Amino acid sequence: MSQHILILALMVGIANWVFRYGPTRLSRGAGQGAGALARFLSATGPAAIATLVVASTLPMANATQVLPLVMGVGAVLVLWVWRRSVMIATLGGALAYALTTFAAAST
Amino acid sequence: MSNALPSTVRSGLVTALPIAMGYFPIAFAFGVAATGAGLSAAEAFALSLIIYAGASQFLALALITSGAPLLVAAFTLIAMNLRHVLYGPALLKAAGEAASTRHAWAWAWGLTDEVFGAALGEVARGRQFSEPFMFGLGLGAYASWLAGTLVGALAGGGALADWPVVQAGLSFMLPALFLSLLLSILTRPQVPVIAVAGLATVAGTLAVSGTAGILAGMIAGAAAGTLRRGRA
């Protein structure tokens, strides 16, 4: 195994563990109540996930991928409203994206 | 009032199923991409085992293959994962004052974007936060990530070359998962937060870089939520 890759993985992995675990100890109680920090933390979840939705779809927003993207996002929305299941919405969205990509490539 | 949903390791594992089903193909794609980029199966598996952060693992492949210096690559990847700092406190805030963190050193490792989103959604739906539940939730997702990576790495770099439809579906799995998780925690008061986060992400990405866009979106969205509620 490459030493370079192993060292890189260890540096990033240790940082990830510190990022994920550290704040659960350091800020214990700091996020409770109705203060500014509590409001900030309450908004963090939706903000983080919304950011990741945009960041992951932005590279797909080009001319060749826009139709599959619209179909994929549409399928996720429809399936979520219909079934309220993260798994069904995710898999259905991916399927719609794949099939639209295939159809677009075939025409 | 709690609706008595179980908070055991088993219920955590069950809750992890959608994530595991989403993770496996993405990790498979990572394993395929890693070996396609010249890494060995062991190196691909090590990245998933030690880093365990999907988006930054794909970025790591690009940095490794481009010959980026070690410190530059490490700094870039670490900066990309800075957002995880916010997850533990946000989850514990939702869980309430009685939430235990005695074994957080173990379950917090599994606080990926999707596990965090799923845990937050479960707490919002009335499930009581517990460390065994978090451990089960994290373990299910982690095991799937590792298994998918291993299978993909062993399949080899050209495994999906003859399957363009599968390849296309896999490429949309992560966005679909993020969107589903967002819908699962969506409430009306959070709409402005989501809008600001989305706009800041686009602006940061176009103006600077994808990593800058992610950080800008998260911080701007959370700040917007703080200010809006503060004025109410």
Side-chain angles (χ1 to χ4, degrees):
Chain A
M1 181 177 300
S2 160
Q3 198 176 13
H4 179 89
I5 292 174
L6 187 59
I7 292 172
L8 177 65
L10 285 171
M11 289 173 75
V12 179
I14 289 169
N16 278 353
W17 182 75
V18 170
F19 289 164
R20 292 169 184 172
Y21 166 59
T24 67
R25 309 301 301 174
L26 296 175
S27 66
R28 192 75 185 113
Q32 309 299 330
L37 179 58
R39 293 196 303 272
F40 181 82
L41 293 175
S42 292
T44 295
I49 298 174
T51 296
L52 293 167
V53 170
V54 175
S56 61
T57 51
L58 204 54
M60 297 175 166
N62 59 55
T64 56
Q65 287 177 292
V66 72
L67 183 60
L69 179 60
V70 168
M71 295 301 289
V73 168
V76 171
L77 294 174
V78 169
L79 288 169
W80 170 257
V81 170
W82 181 35
R83 303 296 296 184
R84 299 277 164 177
S85 162
V86 170
M87 177 183 71
I88 291 172
T90 301
L91 295 178
L95 182 64
Y97 184 90
L99 293 176
T100 313
T101 302
F102 177 70
S106 303
T107 55
Chain B
M1 181 71 74
S2 167
N3 59 359
L5 290 168
S7 294
T8 59
V9 173
R10 187 171 180 273
S11 60
L13 285 167
V14 171
T15 305
L17 267 178
I19 301 175
M21 290 185 69
Y23 268 14
F24 189 90
I26 298 166
F28 177 86
F30 171 76
V32 169
T35 48
L39 275 66
S40 68
E43 288 168 340
F45 186 75
L47 287 177
S48 282
L49 182 71
I50 300 170
I51 294 180
Y52 187 36
S56 65
Q57 285 182 222
F58 280 97
L59 181 59
L61 289 184
L63 292 167
I64 290 167
T65 53
S66 69
L70 180 63
L71 286 179
V72 172
F75 179 79
T76 304
L77 297 173
I78 288 170
M80 188 173 188
N81 293 326
L82 252 177
R83 65 184 186 276
H84 292 169
V85 166
L86 304 171
Y87 290 175
L91 180 59
L92 292 173
K93 164 74 171 57
E97 292 182 18
S100 170
T101 57
R102 188 178 173 189
H103 302 292
W105 60 270
W107 60 258
W109 168 246
L111 271 183
T112 60
D113 303 316
E114 297 78 14
V115 168
F116 165 68
L120 204 62
E122 289 299 309
V123 171
R125 280 191 287 275
R127 191 188 296 275
Q128 188 177 359
F129 175 92
S130 82
E131 292 196 292
F133 175 81
M134 287 305 301
F135 188 76
L137 179 59
L139 184 64
Y142 191 36
S144 173
W145 187 256
L146 296 178
T149 302
L150 189 62
V151 173
L154 293 176
L160 296 178
D162 297 329
W163 303 87
V165 176
V166 176
Q167 203 162 18
L170 291 178
S171 72
F172 192 68
M173 196 71 79
L174 201 58
L177 186 57
F178 287 142
L179 181 56
S180 301
L181 288 173
L182 182 64
L183 292 169
S184 76
I185 64 164
L186 185 64
T187 59
R188 188 181 293 274
Q190 289 160 352
V191 171
V193 172
I194 290 165
V196 170
L199 289 172
T201 306
V202 173
T205 301
L206 296 179
V208 187
S209 68
T211 300
I214 288 173
L215 286 174
M218 289 183 183
I219 293 170
T226 308
L227 293 174
R228 195 190 67 82
R229 291 178 196 182
R231 285 200 302 269

